[in-house]
């Protein structure tokens, strides 16, 4: 071994030689360091580095991710890559990262910036011949705006020039892929791939776009069993956050971790989660968000505006275990009743007035999916590499082996929310311990820092008179009906066992009735809290009504109250749709047909994949 390539590793093992978890690693290291490096020794060195890095990541988390440990962690992997590069064969997995994007070029830019930084930081697979050797990107563009499509192409070209191979899979490329199918194949797969007109081949939805990408992926990997496929969302980044590093830090070598999982286990589908903004719609976060807003206003009322800001005194409560979800109990999580205290984002010394004004400006972000009080923060438990059985797939963070391309996103043409949990229930029932979850989250940022808004969200309309989320609200309600109906069917052996149409229809009716009651109960809770908030804000005894510097803040809060009432109150468009018997009957029939056809759709899909070999 060349001594200059081992110094960082030697330093690390020497420094931590006394740590119990590294005792065996140090002994093996001492033996290896006195021998010539061979392929066998390289494998052992990868394992030793893996053990060391897990210990180091735990230490970084406990000490708040200081720069010196982050740098040592990076150097550990860079030295490992340098050693592997000296060998003739690197048989670790290759990756294709698939990013569906619809009119979000700024999000896409930030996402790929973070990926490029990750690649440079850890250099997985090495950088040679002006490109990263084991990582490719597929940009699946579903944008409507021609300017955004051009922008996305320029982003693709930019990263190709930087050495990150990116493939643009836009409207023309998707249509070319479909043209390879026969008329009968197109007809048989219409519920999977859709059938939009070529003149309006955009905003087909993330599920259809992902399914179309499967066809391109089948072509790209061409039977290569050593390529893993990683689906993410464009509003995510390849890093994690902490209470001290809200914008994110590069502390996970994702490619190394995922390669190790697929090398050492029989995993077919792996899902991570997200940190940062919750991965759910504001349609199912309104009650607990109002609870936290009420808590903030009550806290503000106790002290005068010139008092030093009190919202830095306690650590931010973590919004893990679906604490952001109004119906967390339906997913097996604890229903938390207490309010979560706001953590002020202002950095310089300031008073309570400044915090109150800033909080008011942030309230509208809720309708873009940002939760001010129940964000998720990354945790690194001692068993950081522990795999757990999964039941929910996060469509913004899941990895497939080539053998799992059979599992397209189901019911895609309905454009319902909860597609990931729906597919997850099917995977759980059929794959067992080959469908797992790992502590490999991505950072989720729903809004852009420059604007405080999301670039594009289907089903949300921001007009002059207010914000209307009824489209997303409707898709959430019927997505929940699909999910819990599917879950009940799976308990009866679906989809492998034939379930009568009458039985499916009865389960749908029962689930719909239960879900409608739950949503109406939630509406009553939301409106009661909203009325309490209105009374607190309009209370003449409160200091903010007697302060000339809170005029804009009071207006912001009242606009928020108005938007909440417009989306969750009596006569709101979203509740009008789900209360309509005719609308529910139409949606129920669509869901019924989708469930009845799923087994046939799967068989047609498998036949197509076989023919594409």
């Amino acid at each position: 071994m060349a001594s200059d390539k081992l110094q960082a590793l030697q330093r690390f093992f020497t420094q931590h030689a006394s740590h119990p978890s590294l005792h065996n690693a140090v002994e093996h290291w001492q033996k290896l360091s006195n021998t010539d490096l061979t392929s066998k020794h390289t494998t052992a060195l990868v394992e030793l580095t893996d053990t060391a890095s897990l210990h180091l990541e735990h230490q970084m988390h406990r000490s708040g991710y200081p720069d010196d440990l982050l740098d040592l962690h990076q150097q550990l992997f860079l030295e490992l890559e340098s050693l592997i590069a000296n060998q003739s064969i690197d048989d670790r997995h290759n990756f294709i990262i698939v990013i569906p994007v619809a009119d979000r070029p700024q999000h896409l830019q930030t996402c790929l910036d973070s990926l490029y930084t990750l690649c440079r930081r850890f250099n997985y697979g090495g950088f040679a011949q002006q490109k990263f050797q084991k990582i490719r990107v597929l940009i699946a563009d579903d944008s409507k705006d021609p300017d955004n499509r051009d922008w996305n192409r320029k982003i693709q070209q930019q990263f190709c020039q930087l050495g990150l191979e990116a493939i643009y899979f836009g409207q023309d490329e998707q249509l070319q892929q479909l043209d390879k199918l026969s008329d009968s194949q197109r007809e048989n797969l219409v519920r999977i791939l859709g059938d939009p007109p070529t003149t309006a081949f955009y905003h087909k939805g993330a599920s259809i776009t992902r399914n179309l990408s499967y066809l391109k992926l089948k072509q790209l990997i061409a039977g290569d069993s050593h390529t893993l496929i990683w689906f993410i969302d464009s509003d995510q980044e390849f890093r994690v956050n902490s209470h001290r590093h809200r914008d994110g830090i590069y502390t996970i070598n994702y490619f190394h971790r995922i390669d190790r999982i697929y090398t050492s286990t029989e995993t077919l589908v792996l899902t991570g989660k997200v940190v940062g903004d919750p991965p759910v719609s504001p349609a199912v976060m309104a009650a607990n968000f109002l609870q936290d807003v009420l808590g903030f206003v009550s806290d503000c009322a106790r002290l005068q505006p010139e008092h030093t800001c009190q919202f830095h005194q306690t650590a931010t409560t973590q919004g893990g275990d679906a604490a952001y979800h109004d119906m967390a109990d339906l997913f097996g999580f604890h229903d938390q009743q207490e309010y979560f205290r706001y953590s002020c984002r202002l950095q310089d010394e300031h008073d309570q007035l400044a915090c109150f004004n800033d909080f008011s400006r942030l309230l509208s972000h809720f309708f873009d999916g940002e939760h001010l009080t129940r964000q998720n923060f990354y945790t690194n438990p001692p068993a950081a590499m522990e795999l757990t059985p999964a039941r929910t797939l996060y469509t913004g963070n899941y990895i497939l082996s080539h053998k799992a391309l059979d599992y397209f996103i189901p019911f895609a043409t309905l454009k319902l929310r909860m597609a990931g949990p729906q597919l997850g229930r099917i995977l759980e029932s059929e794959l067992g311990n080959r469908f797992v979850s790992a502590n490999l989250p991505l950072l989720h940022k729903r809004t852009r820092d420059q604007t405080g808004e999301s670039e594009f969200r289907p089903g949300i309309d921001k007009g002059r008179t207010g914000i209307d989320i009824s489209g997303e609200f409707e898709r959430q309600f019927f997505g929940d009906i699909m999910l819990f109906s599917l879950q009940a069917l799976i308990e009866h052996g679906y989809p492998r066992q034939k379930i009568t149409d009458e039985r499916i229809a009865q389960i749908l009716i029962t689930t719909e009735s239960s879900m409608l009651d739950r949503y109406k109960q939630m509406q009553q809770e939301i409106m009661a809290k909203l009325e309490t908030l209105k009374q607190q804000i309009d209370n003449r005894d409160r200091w903010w009504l007697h302060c000339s510097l809170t005029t804009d803040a009071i207006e912001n809060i009242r606009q928020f109250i108005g938007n909440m009432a417009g989306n969750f109150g009596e006569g709101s468009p979203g509740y009008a749709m789900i209360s309509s018997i005719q609308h529910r009957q139409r949606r129920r029939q669509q869901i019924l047909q989708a469930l009845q056809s799923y087994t046939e759709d799967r068989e047609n899909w498998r036949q197509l994949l076989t023919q594409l070999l």
Side-chain angles (χ1 to χ4, degrees):
M1 295 183 186
S3 59
D4 61 331
K5 294 186 179 298
L6 294 175
Q7 289 178 359
L9 290 176
Q10 180 72 61
R11 206 166 45 243
F12 178 85
F13 284 112
T14 300
Q15 179 182 353
H16 296 282
S18 62
H19 196 282
S21 67
L22 292 180
H23 179 72
N24 291 334
V26 171
E27 287 187 353
H28 286 299
W29 165 258
Q30 291 171 345
K31 293 177 182 179
L32 280 173
S33 63
N34 295 320
T35 62
D36 292 330
L37 186 62
T38 66
S39 297
K40 182 178 180 180
H41 291 142
T42 303
T43 300
L45 188 56
V46 170
E47 293 178 358
L48 290 176
T49 303
D50 188 58
T51 302
S53 66
L54 287 172
H55 166 64
L56 184 55
E57 287 166 19
H58 186 51
Q59 292 296 110
M60 286 191 294
H61 182 73
R62 291 178 61 185
S63 54
Y65 298 99
D67 290 342
D68 60 334
L69 289 186
L70 285 168
D71 291 341
L72 181 59
H73 182 251
Q74 176 186 5
Q75 190 63 31
L76 180 68
F77 281 107
L78 290 178
E79 293 297 333
L80 174 67
E81 292 297 334
S82 179
L83 288 168
I84 293 176
N86 288 335
Q87 306 307 296
S88 57
I89 298 176
D90 181 358
D91 60 357
R92 293 174 298 172
H93 286 92
N94 303 313
F95 288 84
I96 299 178
I97 299 163
V98 187
I99 311 175
V101 60
D103 291 305
R104 288 181 178 179
Q106 295 177 73
H107 276 300
L108 178 64
Q109 178 75 51
T110 302
C111 176
L112 288 174
D113 281 340
S114 72
L115 174 59
Y116 180 76
T117 301
L118 181 78
C119 291
R120 297 298 296 177
R121 185 170 183 86
F122 295 112
N123 200 30
Y124 175 83
F127 185 84
Q129 290 146 6
Q130 302 301 309
K131 71 174 184 178
F132 294 99
Q133 297 296 292
K134 302 183 79 67
I135 298 165
R136 288 183 286 173
V137 175
L138 181 67
I139 299 171
D141 197 348
D142 195 32
S143 299
K144 177 181 179 180
D145 189 331
D147 290 339
N148 285 338
R149 296 199 293 267
D150 290 341
W151 194 346
N152 290 336
R153 288 191 189 93
K154 290 178 181 177
I155 292 171
Q156 172 252 336
Q157 294 165 5
Q158 169 197 348
F159 284 95
C160 284
Q161 293 172 358
L162 291 172
L164 181 59
E165 182 181 352
I167 302 162
Y168 182 76
F169 188 52
Q171 291 183 19
D172 292 341
E173 292 78 9
Q174 293 167 27
L175 287 168
Q176 289 169 10
Q177 199 72 45
L178 288 174
D179 286 342
K180 297 177 182 178
L181 308 182
S182 67
D183 290 343
S184 61
Q185 287 174 325
R186 288 286 300 272
E187 183 178 353
N188 290 338
L189 299 170
V190 69
R191 285 181 292 270
I192 302 173
L193 302 175
D195 190 26
T198 56
T199 55
F201 202 74
Y202 47 73
H203 288 186
K204 303 177 292 297
S207 294
I208 289 177
T209 303
R210 288 189 176 96
N211 290 342
L212 284 168
S213 299
Y214 277 41
L215 301 181
K216 180 65 175 178
L217 290 164
K218 185 70 174 178
Q219 172 190 330
L220 289 174
I221 63 178
D224 177 11
S225 61
H226 231 54
T227 294
L228 297 175
I229 302 156
W230 190 358
F231 278 88
I232 70 165
D233 282 341
S234 59
D235 59 357
Q236 294 176 174
E237 301 175 26
F238 289 83
R239 50 183 174 169
V240 296
N241 61 359
S242 73
H243 295 298
R244 297 183 184 177
H245 303 85
R246 289 177 177 271
D247 290 335
I249 45 176
Y250 294 91
T251 185
I252 301 176
N253 187 348
Y254 294 95
F255 300 115
H256 170 80
R257 291 277 172 260
I258 296 168
D259 169 74
R260 294 286 294 159
I261 291 170
Y262 275 87
T263 298
S264 59
T265 70
E266 296 182 350
T267 298
L268 288 180
V269 181
L270 170 69
T271 187
K273 297 186 179 181
V274 297
V275 290
D277 293 329
V280 300
S281 167
V284 290
M285 298 194 298
N288 69 72
F289 183 65
L290 280 172
Q291 184 169 295
D292 297 347
V293 174
L294 281 168
F296 173 83
V297 172
S298 295
D299 286 342
C300 285
R302 296 190 183 102
L303 297 172
Q304 292 304 304
E306 64 273 11
H307 193 280
T308 301
C309 179
Q310 61 181 315
F311 295 98
H312 298 268
Q313 303 303 314
T314 57
T316 306
T317 305
Q318 180 167 314
D321 294 332
Y324 46 74
H325 203 301
D326 288 338
M327 299 183 290
D329 59 304
L330 293 180
F331 298 88
F333 295 106
H334 175 62
D335 187 13
Q336 303 188 45
Q337 297 297 323
E338 73 278 5
Y339 85 89
F340 282 37
R341 203 162 191 264
Y342 174 65
S343 178
C344 183
R345 304 185 184 193
L346 299 178
Q347 298 299 315
D348 297 331
E349 185 176 344
H350 59 278
D351 55 22
Q352 184 168 256
L353 172 63
C355 178
F356 183 83
N357 288 338
D358 187 59
F359 182 85
S360 77
R361 287 189 289 267
L362 297 172
L363 283 173
S364 63
H365 295 193
F366 172 76
F367 299 100
D368 283 302
E370 183 177 336
H371 203 304
L372 298 181
T373 50
R374 306 196 187 197
Q375 285 198 336
N376 291 329
F377 290 89
Y378 176 62
T379 58
N380 182 271
M385 279 304 294
E386 179 181 344
L387 300 179
T388 58
R391 69 194 304 257
T392 287
L393 178 138
Y394 287 81
T395 53
N397 186 6
Y398 72 103
I399 299 97
L400 301 171
S401 80
H402 74 289
K403 295 179 181 179
L405 284 172
D406 285 357
Y407 290 100
F408 56 86
I409 306 297
F411 323 123
T413 54
L414 299 185
K415 294 187 177 183
L416 301 178
R417 293 186 62 83
M418 309 303 285
Q422 291 158 21
L423 177 55
R425 299 308 191 268
I426 295 170
L427 292 169
E428 178 191 30
S429 69
E430 297 187 358
L431 296 183
N433 62 8
R434 291 176 296 171
F435 172 44
V436 294
S437 176
N439 186 30
L440 295 170
L442 297 172
L443 181 59
H444 186 213
K445 291 185 177 180
R446 280 271 177 79
T447 57
R448 299 290 303 151
D449 293 338
Q450 299 88 333
T451 63
E453 297 180 352
S454 178
E455 285 184 271
F456 170 71
R457 281 178 64 79
I460 295 182
D461 179 24
K462 296 181 179 180
R464 293 183 178 179
T465 58
I467 302 173
D468 179 5
I469 67 168
S470 59
E472 184 171 277
F473 182 94
E474 191 266 359
R475 290 169 52 233
Q476 179 71 47
F477 175 77
F478 289 102
D480 284 337
I481 291 175
M482 171 64 90
L483 171 63
F484 291 106
S485 296
L486 177 64
Q487 186 169 300
L489 288 168
I490 288 174
E491 292 172 0
H492 289 83
Y494 180 91
R496 294 187 179 277
Q497 296 182 19
K498 173 66 176 177
I499 309 293
T500 66
D501 294 349
E502 292 77 12
R503 181 61 176 151
I504 297 176
Q506 184 56 51
I507 287 175
L508 273 175
I509 291 172
T510 301
T511 305
E512 178 189 301
S513 176
S514 173
M515 198 57 60
L516 186 61
D517 287 345
R518 188 64 183 259
Y519 267 68
K520 288 185 175 180
Q521 176 185 344
M522 192 166 63
Q523 181 186 33
Q524 293 175 359
E525 181 181 347
I526 291 168
M527 295 311 296
K529 291 177 177 178
L530 198 61
E531 179 59 29
T532 301
L533 176 61
K534 186 176 183 301
Q535 291 175 2
Q536 287 203 26
I537 293 300
D538 291 340
N539 187 333
R540 299 302 302 176
D541 294 332
R542 302 306 185 203
W543 59 260
W544 47 77
L545 291 183
H546 307 283
C547 177
S548 61
L549 298 178
T550 59
T551 302
D552 290 342
I554 298 301
E555 179 60 24
N556 291 336
I557 297 173
R558 285 173 176 162
Q559 285 183 1
F560 169 76
I561 292 173
N563 281 320
M564 291 294 283
N567 283 287
F568 297 97
E570 293 295 333
S572 61
Y575 272 97
M577 279 192 282
I578 70 172
S579 298
S580 166
I581 296 175
Q582 293 79 10
H583 186 76
R584 292 205 310 275
Q585 286 177 336
R586 184 165 58 252
R587 272 299 206 181
R588 190 191 316 137
Q589 186 61 32
Q590 292 175 347
I591 294 173
L592 176 62
Q593 290 176 349
L595 289 167
Q596 291 170 338
S597 306
Y598 179 63
T599 301
E600 179 185 356
D601 289 341
R602 288 182 67 174
E603 182 57 33
N604 290 334
W605 182 254
R606 287 169 176 163
Q607 289 180 11
L608 174 65
L609 293 184
T610 301
Q611 294 164 2
L612 292 177
L613 287 176

